[in-house]
Amino acid sequence: MSLTMVERLLEERKSDYLQQLFALLKQKSISTTNEGVRECAELLLEMMQSCGIQSRLMETAGHPVVYGEWLKAENTFTVLIYGHYDVQPPDPVEEWQSPPFEPTIREGRIYCRGVGDNKGQLMAQVLAIKTYLDSFGELPVNVKLLFEGEEENSSPHLAAFVAEHKELLACDLVYTSDGPMHGSGIPSVELGVRGILGVEMIAYGAKWDHHSGNMGNIAPNPAWMLIDLLRTMRDEHGRVLIEGFYDNIRKPTAYELDLFRKLPFDRNELIEQIGYPDIEEDSETYYRQVSLEPTFNICGFHSGYGGDGSKTIIPAKASVKMDIRLVIDQDPDDIFQKLCSHVRKYAPSINVLHQGDMRPSRTSAELEIVKVVVEGVGNAYGIDPLLVPGVGGSLPDYVWTQILGVPSVMVPYANADEANHAPNENMVVELFYKGISCTCHVLHQLGEFSKKKNDL
Amino acid sequence: MSLTMVERLLEERKSDYLQQLFALLKQKSISTTNEGVRECAELLLEMMQSCGIQSRLMETAGHPVVYGEWLKAENTFTVLIYGHYDVQPPDPVEEWQSPPFEPTIREGRIYCRGVGDNKGQLMAQVLAIKTYLDSFGELPVNVKLLFEGEEENSSPHLAAFVAEHKELLACDLVYTSDGPMHGSGIPSVELGVRGILGVEMIAYGAKWDHHSGNMGNIAPNPAWMLIDLLRTMRDEHGRVLIEGFYDNIRKPTAYELDLFRKLPFDRNELIEQIGYPDIEEDSETYYRQVSLEPTFNICGFHSGYGGDGSKTIIPAKASVKMDIRLVIDQDPDDIFQKLCSHVRKYAPSINVLHQGDMRPSRTSAELEIVKVVVEGVGNAYGIDPLLVPGVGGSLPDYVWTQILGVPSVMVPYANADEANHAPNENMVVELFYKGISCTCHVLHQLGEFSKKKNDL
């Protein structure tokens, strides 16, 4: 069965599909501040139902899951498609060239908060199912869809949800489209993510701000307290000094290292993409640092006056927010305990808050099902995709590999410079359509694989 | 000549004088953000004129000076009264119990931004002149008044103004009421201030914020750059590591040290006043640290996300604002150069901005004119005032001692817990009236002193 029909239908419906995406984009769904999240879930539910997917909202202890399924395939193979409908806050809003929640097309790109991360990729999957169903009246394999509303807040309730609904979610493969494509523009099939531990550390000085002259050298300065603590946690080369932080890091296999070395790398392109000239990494260091090594990132540090001019105070409070990316087999609980012990030792008066975490994941690159997906993606884009053992970002991929116990592959549909989490987030319009096509091709290839297995 | 008449008139006019102060308080005059500053100058000008002071606005390169004079005294002695009509920004506004620019009386205190620092003290002086003139038809000495509008922004144009108008401003003594009274509630005569150097250091990473997963370990983090720099500038005990920072610090005289030791000190009261339990200073350490030792204060550190929840980014920018209090004879220009050299050596990519500075000052405690002021203040409050060789805050006092070359005394009228520069700034109502009375008594005593000198 060829996919010419699917491609023709997609071509005809481009403008209609774009309108559907825009409708979802306009609906805010900022999970960290709880703006419009449920409204967005309800809108997505309607859209999925109108695409022929039997769908429902399922409650969690936080924002709802939108679950859908189509289970009438002739074979028993089931793929579960995962994505998220929540988005990051749009700050700093003043740096957006068009309002963050008004989708705007400029030079072939859609600019909007959440377009790449993850609404554009999510809608590509939903619309692929519609296109496939409208082309053939059926899908080549059984499909389940699970879209959560808390991914940008570290998916605090997904693991419990999956554990609770293991039977409902039972499948042979999990398929996720999220994150940016490789910088080379070549599609990729990714097999693991870094985990994450989010913490906030708050230092309190006096009960209120003080005049820095009248109380200077007397009232304590919490910004200095935090800096003094942070300097005990990390040396100036970036090495983390918390005891045991690097324990349990699993060495990559020879095959994985080989795959890493085969990945394209263009330093000038990377420099352009990052917007920073002093990038000294070569291919191997780059991939090793970005996917096999943990980070110790400050994502926010705030204390005292930040407006124009100056305000001569001793601040009463200082806060640092950190997101620490973890690699397999670091355990967020273990790392959090080690961090707390460190703080107790060096600055016991500083409060440590746990903001969320996610375990790292890895699927073996040597599985047959991985090769099937690679083939489907290759057919869609007309080029062999890159096979990537691990990427730098964090997704709750471990809930599939560890809780459901199935392989999990990630095939990002958004451009490498999508600026996810940043101002002027965008997605190339053609890549949105290509994503729809890709999901169709992967479903098709999975169908062929299942037929062959049934035949044996 | 007794001052019974003055005291009676003041008693009668209390409510009227309070209304005049309220009118000035309601007029915003935030110099750092330029809100309402000129409007406030014009309002103050009118008020001074209506008090019988020949007044005018005088332009500077920044906000205008309000200058006034009464020069019809029988003797040649001239006192110049200095103050400022600008105020600090009201942030954090949400911590105010009543709106920051609506003067509100609660439990005998006026709550309003600028009431203690410096409008209440400034109006006490203006209204003292009115009260004295209305009582006796003349003042006992010549009086000049100079109220500037940039003190909260480090008085960037005052020195040039004074240098340019030396003849106009010629006088025998400068008298300033600013800052809080001593914690004991005993009035004081203060003879010197710390200087200040305000700097902002900005680190730039990539051109825009990055996703901390996709670019973690690759895109540089400017918050860490700043922290790495700051850790080279100051050790964990607070000692500044910038080369030569402590050079040129003048040792106090034996008489000054003796005066320090005589000052009252109540640790529990200080703990209450600061709102922090771990204050270990004894009397001598406290006064030494707060007035004879420089500070290295962070008044603001801002980078990345500071809202609720988390936002997993590598920030593109980090900024630290510092105010460094200097003691005599540290020179702000010299310290700034040393700081810049340090940054060039350890983190040359970090930008250093000069935000303003002010030299420290000191007037000899052994001058006869100081004793005259002490006597006047003592008469007003009915208690011997403390004689304080130096205080922790910064005022442009050096323009009098160094540019005009005259002695300068500071007699604060606001309560010790005025919360200047902080939310819920306040001034005890009775201390406002006491300030009016005090200025009258000091003028009177200066008149007696001049007569005696003329007689000799």
Side-chain angles (χ1 to χ4, degrees), chain A residues 328-345:
Chain A
I328 208 143
D329 293 306
Q330 284 179 308
D331 174 345
D333 293 336
D334 174 57
I335 297 293
F336 183 66
Q337 286 315 321
K338 285 170 174 165
L339 184 138
C340 289
S341 301
H342 185 98
V343 174
R344 269 196 302 275
K345 183 170 169 191

Side-chain angles (χ1 to χ4, degrees), chain A residues 91 194 207 210 212-213 217 221 224 274-275 289 296-298 301-304 307 309 311 313 321 323 325, chain B residues 91 194 207 210 212-213 217 221 224 274-275 289 296-298 301-304 307 309 311 313 321 323 325:
Chain A
D91 320 62
R194 289 197 283 200
K207 279 200 189 122
H210 278 285
S212 65
N217 287 343
N221 188 314
W224 275 120
I274 297 186
Q289 290 182 343
F296 201 64
N297 183 55
I298 291 176
F301 191 127
H302 292 275
S303 182
K311 186 153 179 275
I313 51 160
K321 290 180 200 258
D323 70 277
R325 303 281 167 169
Chain B
D91 321 63
R194 289 198 283 200
K207 279 198 189 126
H210 278 285
S212 65
N217 288 342
N221 187 314
W224 276 120
I274 295 185
Q289 289 182 344
F296 201 63
N297 182 54
I298 292 176
F301 191 126
H302 292 276
S303 182
K311 185 152 181 273
I313 52 160
K321 291 182 200 257
D323 70 277
R325 302 282 166 168

Side-chain angles (χ1 to χ4, degrees), chain A residues 32-33 88-92 95 113 117 152-154 179-180 194 196 200 204-221 223-225 227-228 230-237 241 270 272-277 279 281 285-290 293-315 321-323 325 349 355 391-394 418-423, chain B residues 32-33 88-92 95 113 117 152-154 179-180 194 196 200 204-221 223-225 227-228 230-237 241 270 272-276 279 281 285-291 293-315 321-323 325 349 355 391-394 418-423:
Chain A
T32 51
T33 56
Q88 282 276 321
D91 320 62
E95 291 184 20
R113 169 53 87 226
D117 185 11
E152 298 299 359
N153 203 16
S154 304
R194 289 197 283 200
I196 188 172
E200 180 172 12
Y204 293 97
K207 279 200 189 122
W208 44 83
D209 291 351
H210 278 285
H211 186 291
S212 65
N214 300 341
M215 284 302 165
N217 287 343
I218 307 298
N221 188 314
W224 275 120
M225 289 183 199
I227 290 169
D228 286 344
L230 288 166
R231 69 195 283 182
T232 67
M233 290 185 151
R234 171 192 166 278
D235 71 18
E236 64 272 29
H237 309 293
L241 305 175
L270 185 66
E272 191 73 21
Q273 188 189 343
I274 297 186
Y276 190 74
I279 301 295
E281 280 80 4
T285 355
Y286 170 72
Y287 288 109
R288 198 189 63 231
Q289 290 182 343
V290 93
E293 293 183 3
T295 72
F296 201 64
N297 183 55
I298 291 176
C299 50
F301 191 127
H302 292 275
S303 182
Y305 185 68
D308 288 340
S310 66
K311 186 153 179 275
T312 49
I313 51 160
I314 303 169
K321 290 180 200 258
M322 303 195 63
D323 70 277
R325 303 281 167 169
S349 75
Q355 288 201 304
V391 297
S394 302
E418 60 167 321
N420 48 342
H421 294 211
Chain B
T32 52
T33 55
Q88 283 275 321
D91 321 63
E95 291 183 20
R113 170 53 87 224
D117 186 11
E152 297 300 358
N153 203 16
S154 303
R194 289 198 283 200
I196 188 171
E200 181 173 11
Y204 293 99
K207 279 198 189 126
W208 44 83
D209 290 350
H210 278 285
H211 186 293
S212 65
N214 300 341
M215 284 303 166
N217 288 342
I218 307 298
N221 187 314
W224 276 120
M225 289 183 200
I227 290 168
D228 286 344
L230 287 166
R231 69 195 283 180
T232 67
M233 290 184 151
R234 171 191 165 280
D235 72 17
E236 63 273 28
H237 309 293
L241 305 174
L270 185 67
E272 191 71 19
Q273 188 189 346
I274 295 185
Y276 190 75
I279 300 296
E281 280 80 4
T285 354
Y286 170 73
Y287 287 110
R288 199 188 63 230
Q289 289 182 344
V290 92
S291 60
E293 292 183 4
T295 72
F296 201 63
N297 182 54
I298 292 176
C299 49
F301 191 126
H302 292 276
S303 182
Y305 185 67
D308 288 340
S310 66
K311 185 152 181 273
T312 49
I313 52 160
I314 303 169
K321 291 182 200 257
M322 302 195 65
D323 70 277
R325 302 282 166 168
S349 74
Q355 288 200 304
V391 297
S394 301
E418 60 167 323
N420 49 341
H421 293 212

Side-chain angles (χ1 to χ4, degrees), chain B residues 125-165:
Chain B
Q125 293 174 324
V126 170
L127 295 167
I129 291 172
K130 180 177 175 58
T131 313
Y132 210 107
L133 280 175
D134 292 350
S135 300
F136 302 111
E138 60 173 10
L139 301 180
V141 289
N142 298 298
V143 176
K144 298 176 177 177
L145 302 103
L146 189 161
F147 299 131
E148 68 153 320
E150 304 186 304
E151 197 273 342
E152 297 300 358
N153 203 16
S154 303
S155 304
H157 304 108
L158 183 68
F161 183 87
V162 171
E164 196 186 336
H165 299 286

